[in-house]
Every structure is written in C-alpha cells, then in structure tokens.
Amino acid sequence: MIELSKAEFDVLDALWINYPATASQIIERLSDDKQWHEKTIKTLLGRLVKKGALSFEKEGRQYIYMPCIERADYTLKESQNFIERFFSGRIAPLVSGFAKSEQLSQQDINELKKVIDDWEKNQN
Amino acid sequence: MIELSKAEFDVLDALWINYPATASQIIERLSDDKQWHEKTIKTLLGRLVKKGALSFEKEGRQYIYMPCIERADYTLKESQNFIERFFSGRIAPLVSGFAKSEQLSQQDINELKKVIDDWEKNQN
DNA sequence: AATTAAAGACTACGCCTGTAATCTATAATT
DNA sequence: AATTATAGATTACAGGCGTAGTCTTTAATT
C-alpha cells in the first residue's frame, strides 16, 4: 500500500476535490486551511508523484495532476489499518468508545442505523 | 495530547496488558509478536517516559513501569483524530466504507446494534 | 532580442523514528 | 574483595517529514 504522510494526504485531498488540476489550483484550494508556502506544496506534489499517488501530464510549462488512487480506497485501507492496530480489527469497540464518551449525536445514530439497514438488505 | 509513534504505542500496549511491570516483563510480552532487540525496547521505554506516557519507580536495580494514560482515553483521542482527518468527523462514513467493501460480519453488525441500543437506553 | 517572471528540479536542514551499540554503574557471584 | 553480568543512560545513524530556499529552464513581456 502507498504510505502517505499527513501533509501529503492533505495535498492529495485537495486534488480529489476536483481533478485534473494544476499546481496553482491545488495551492489555491489549500490556501484557505493551511499556511503553507507554495514551495512546500510543490515539494509535496513531487513526493506524491514519486510515491505513485499522483501522475501528471505536461501542458506547456505546467503539469496537470491526476490522482492515481481513489479516496475511498485509500481511506478504507487506512481505516482497516487503524482498527487493526487499536481495536484488534473489530469496528464496534471504536463506535462504542465514542458512545461511552458522549461523542455520538442522534444524527450519527441515524446514519449508523441506515448503514446497518442497508447491510441487512444486501444479505438476502 | 501525547503523541506516540507506532513502535512506542506497541510498547505501551504491552504494558497495558498488565501493570506495573518491569522492562524484562515487557520485553518478554513483546517477544511473541515483534522481532525487537531488547535495546530497542528499552530505548522506546525511555522515550515513552520522556513523553510522559509512562512513569516508573526504582526497585533495586530495576525500574517498575506504570502507564500514565489509559488505553481507552488514548484510543478515543486517536479515533477522533482519525475520523476528523479522513471523514470530516463523522463516524458513519467509516462504517459505511467497511460495509461497502464487504468488511462487516454478522457479528460486527450485532455488536453495532448493541452499541446503538445502549446509546438509546441512555437517552431516556 | 533582451529581460523578467514563473514553473518545476534540486538542495537543505532539523526533528522524529526505528533500530540498535556502547558506556557506566551497581547488584550478584566467585 | 574481585570479577562479572545486567539494568539503565547515552550515543549513533539512516531515512522520512515538515518546511522551505536556490537553481534552471522556458514562457511571457518589454
């Protein structure tokens, strides 16, 4: 699996918003949330390319970037990894931890019920 | 929040199994899963102490270690962090990702239902 | 045509991490 | 008492990471 650092993920996340995109577009998108220097983001783009998370095509003097991996795939793998490390691979204890510390809202509960419902419908 | 590396967490996790404990007991516990040199584990113990995750008392020539933080607290904070980063703070999309990729077992579903049940009982 | 500006490439640098090896002090053994 | 073994302290070192700065090339502007 491709391993990304936090900062690298944030850059990729800005690309996932909408792609393909140029470096300047990505820099623009990130400027709201992060105080990163343009050079920093370019470094991170380079590292992402090197890791195989991004590809690009030349367009004049610029590069047009594209993700090589999908967000859902990446986050699923990270989630599995996380749950394995901290909860021996079982998901309920994570949710239970949230419940115990009052971190669950009624909306969360409704959404979870829906996930369960959908799952059950799929198990005919 | 105390930030632990993966290796540091694994050492602390071995202590959480049962504490207080000596370095050699921790080394013993870790020997099943990890191919770590004794020196490596001692280094990690030292770093954990420095980070405030462990404390110890001298007992003759040895140290008796104790966690300064609880596993449930640590994993809850890590979970919040994780879910914030990858799912904008909402827990259902994580579970939903598992469901979509067929990562949920009937047991998981049952456990989740129980968590929801308990939560609802608590909302009198 | 000459100059400038901007894109990407390359270099930098200190801190964290994984992974120990060596040093030092002291308890245990001979 | 002298020697040895062992616990912890200190040192090491390469690679990843956050965070840019400088160099080089080429497109744009004067």
Side-chain angles (χ1 to χ4, degrees):
Chain A
M1 183 180 52
I2 296 179
E3 300 273 358
L4 306 180
S5 75
K6 282 174 200 283
E8 286 161 2
F9 174 82
D10 287 333
V11 171
L12 182 47
D13 214 14
L15 179 58
W16 271 323
I17 290 172
N18 188 278
Y19 55 85
T22 63
S24 7
Q25 290 174 314
I26 295 170
I27 290 166
E28 175 56 29
R29 287 175 202 169
L30 286 165
S31 68
D32 295 334
D33 297 324
K34 313 276 175 186
Q35 317 307 315
W36 282 341
H37 194 284
E38 161 221 0
K39 299 296 188 185
T40 299
I41 297 174
K42 298 226 176 142
T43 297
L44 293 168
L45 282 169
R47 289 181 187 169
L48 283 162
V49 169
K50 194 169 170 195
K51 288 187 177 187
L54 294 186
S55 66
F56 62 85
E57 282 177 23
K58 270 192 174 152
E59 171 92 16
R61 199 162 44 150
Q62 298 188 124
Y63 289 175
I64 313 287
Y65 293 95
M66 285 260 296
C68 296
I69 56 184
E70 282 179 41
R71 194 181 199 286
D73 290 342
Y74 183 77
T75 58
L76 176 64
K77 281 188 181 132
E78 284 297 311
S79 301
Q80 285 170 192
N81 215 291
F82 182 87
I83 289 181
E84 185 60 41
R85 281 185 62 63
F86 293 113
F87 303 102
S88 310
R90 289 171 52 234
I91 199 171
L94 187 163
V95 182
S96 166
F98 270 64
K100 283 203 188 94
S101 59
E102 327 260 315
Q103 312 266 320
L104 290 186
S105 65
Q106 181 67 55
Q107 193 194 340
D108 290 325
I109 293 289
N110 292 342
E111 290 172 358
L112 287 171
K113 279 181 174 173
K114 176 135 189 355
V115 172
I116 290 173
D117 253 35
D118 292 348
W119 185 89
E120 288 182 330
K121 275 182 198 137
N122 255 69
Q123 303 300 111
N124 45 53
Chain B
M1 184 177 54
I2 295 178
E3 300 273 358
L4 305 180
S5 76
K6 281 173 200 286
E8 287 160 0
F9 175 81
D10 287 333
V11 170
L12 182 47
D13 214 14
L15 178 59
W16 272 322
I17 290 172
N18 189 279
Y19 54 85
T22 64
S24 6
Q25 290 174 315
I26 295 170
I27 290 165
E28 175 56 29
R29 287 175 202 169
L30 286 165
S31 68
D32 296 334
D33 298 323
K34 313 277 175 185
Q35 317 307 314
W36 283 342
H37 194 286
E38 161 220 1
K39 300 295 189 186
T40 299
I41 298 174
K42 299 231 177 140
T43 296
L44 293 168
L45 283 170
R47 289 180 185 170
L48 284 163
V49 169
K50 195 168 170 194
K51 288 188 176 185
L54 294 186
S55 65
F56 62 83
E57 281 178 24
K58 270 191 173 152
E59 171 94 15
R61 199 162 43 150
Q62 299 188 123
Y63 289 175
I64 314 287
Y65 293 94
M66 285 259 295
C68 295
I69 56 184
E70 280 178 43
R71 193 180 199 288
D73 290 342
Y74 183 77
T75 57
L76 176 63
K77 283 190 179 127
E78 285 297 311
S79 301
Q80 286 171 191
N81 216 292
F82 182 87
I83 289 182
E84 186 59 41
R85 280 185 63 64
F86 293 113
F87 303 102
S88 310
R90 289 171 51 235
I91 199 170
L94 188 163
V95 182
S96 167
F98 270 63
K100 284 203 188 94
S101 60
E102 328 258 316
Q103 312 266 321
L104 289 187
S105 66
Q106 180 67 56
Q107 193 194 340
D108 290 325
I109 294 289
N110 293 342
E111 290 173 357
L112 287 171
K113 279 181 174 171
K114 176 134 187 357
V115 172
I116 291 173
D117 254 34
D118 291 348
W119 185 89
E120 289 181 330
K121 273 181 201 139
N122 254 68
Q123 304 299 111
N124 47 53

